[in-house]
Amino acid sequence: MEATEKPTQQTAPRDIVITNVSLEYGNIEAWTNVIASYTQKHPDHEVLIFYEGVRVMSMVSLFKRESDLSRHAFKMAVSASDGNWRDVPKLYRYLVEGAGPNFQQFIEKEIHQVLKLF
């Protein structure tokens, strides 16, 4: 039997440093909106967020942690079979901006709408 799907490729993980004093719920919401905008344009891509080497399966779980999160423990990678990495640098830049104090630009949107970032 021949495989009909292309093998999935993954970008190298890139550090996302939190520049806000602490990771707030607004930062998490900004990340969620940025990722939703990216995946709307690239539905076959999967954005992977890692914390201390472990994949984050739920963004809200980051906010629910009782202990302080390390500001230098986040990484991002994108997994896709098409190898179209053209928008990945922009995604990375938006995630870094969303991790900072100016995250508001990524949460001000119409309800039930996706931001047009890509």
Side-chain angles (χ1 to χ4, degrees):
M1 249 176 129
E2 288 185 38
T4 58
E5 289 186 32
K6 295 180 185 177
T8 301
Q9 303 169 355
Q10 183 174 314
T11 62
R14 297 180 71 175
D15 293 338
I16 303 174
V17 178
I18 309 302
T19 56
N20 215 3
V21 175
S22 63
L23 193 68
E24 300 177 13
Y25 188 77
N27 297 110
I28 302 298
E29 186 178 352
W31 279 3
T32 302
N33 289 340
V34 167
I35 292 169
S37 179
Y38 181 84
T39 55
Q40 184 177 39
K41 181 171 181 186
H42 301 284
D44 59 330
H45 290 204
E46 185 175 12
V47 178
L48 310 171
I49 302 291
F50 299 94
Y51 179 72
E52 294 182 339
V54 177
R55 183 169 174 205
V56 175
M57 299 307 283
S58 168
M59 298 297 275
V60 177
S61 70
L62 294 174
F63 186 69
K64 291 181 179 180
R65 286 181 177 251
E66 293 180 18
S67 60
D68 289 334
L69 295 171
S70 171
R71 296 167 50 140
H72 301 280
F74 288 96
K75 292 188 183 293
M76 178 227 57
V78 176
S79 175
S81 60
D82 66 5
N84 178 7
W85 310 122
R86 184 173 40 107
D87 286 330
V88 171
K90 193 174 186 181
L91 168 67
Y92 173 73
R93 186 179 82 232
Y94 286 155
L95 289 175
V96 169
E97 288 177 23
N102 298 322
F103 60 86
Q104 286 289 85
Q105 62 184 322
F106 301 112
I107 61 174
E108 295 173 355
K109 64 180 181 73
E110 294 291 324
I111 205 161
H112 304 297
Q113 297 295 315
V114 176
L115 294 172
K116 302 278 186 206
L117 300 173
F118 299 93

